[in-house]
Amino acid sequence: MNVGIFDSGAGGLSVLKSILNENLFENIFYYGDTARVPYGVKDKETIIKFSLEALDFFKQFKLDMLIIACNTVSAYALKELRKKADFPVLGVIDAGVNATKNALCNLNDEILVLATKATINSKQYENRLKKEGFVNVKSLATGLFVPVVEEGIFNGKIVQSLFEYYFKDISKQPEAIILGCTHFPLLSDALKEYFGKNTKLIHSGDAISYELKDKFKLKRLNKKPKIEFYASSDVKALKETAKLWLK
Ligand code: DGL
């Protein structure tokens, strides 16, 4: 089976990592729009336009499925992508909401959604969680985590001061935090340390991998997949990041 993984840049490697753990595909084509990242500060029309251009890029491969690793694209462009694609297009938001449902047992549980400004403004996580009956959902745009993680900083003073800045009004320890951005799983250890071990972290990559097995009935293969990396700028840098993040 051939799968495409699309992200605004290198961040989607966190999703690729989870997918690789499950070994579900023969061929993986990863494309990051590194020339135009970040998407999380752009408007809906631009996000849709760039996403449809990415879909055109994927046409050269015979895809059986396209996974949208980027939360921002999943929030805005899924409908348009699905209209144009002749294979299933999976986003990470539904998977993240399902994973949250599976992780929590009480609809009163406090959920904190962390994502880019665009994803938060779309209210996709918030509305879907509320539809599931969750009543305590708080959303926070924490866009500065993105460049910090891109810089390879996953803990220490800078991360701590960002946590203090963004989380100053969070008085209660959340039961779950949705890592609603490709970069945020790399801050998992720091977040666990800050909020405590009891807070469950919802990882988009793990959530989508679960859906692939559960809903799409994909089975673990014996052979490792062949991965090809593509980028709209500096594919060498993307491959370097892949070496670090996929370790
Ligand atoms: N990949 C984006 C996301 O998951 C984060 C980086 C960006 O803003 O493009 O929302």
Side-chain angles (χ1 to χ4, degrees), residues 7-8 37-41 69-72 116 119 146 180-183:
D7 184 53
S8 55
V37 69
Y39 281 16
V41 293
C70 181
N71 285 261
T72 307
T116 63
T119 301
V146 173
C181 171
T182 46
H183 293 62

Side-chain angles (χ1 to χ4, degrees), residues 6-12 14-15 30 33 36-42 69-74 92 115-119 143 146-147 150 179-184 204:
F6 171 51
D7 184 53
S8 55
S14 68
V15 174
Y30 182 100
D33 191 5
R36 303 189 290 197
V37 69
Y39 281 16
V41 293
K42 294 185 170 64
C70 181
N71 285 261
T72 307
V73 172
S74 300
V92 281
T116 63
K117 198 176 272 172
T119 301
V146 173
E150 292 249 332
L179 306 171
C181 171
T182 46
H183 293 62
F184 299 176
S204 302

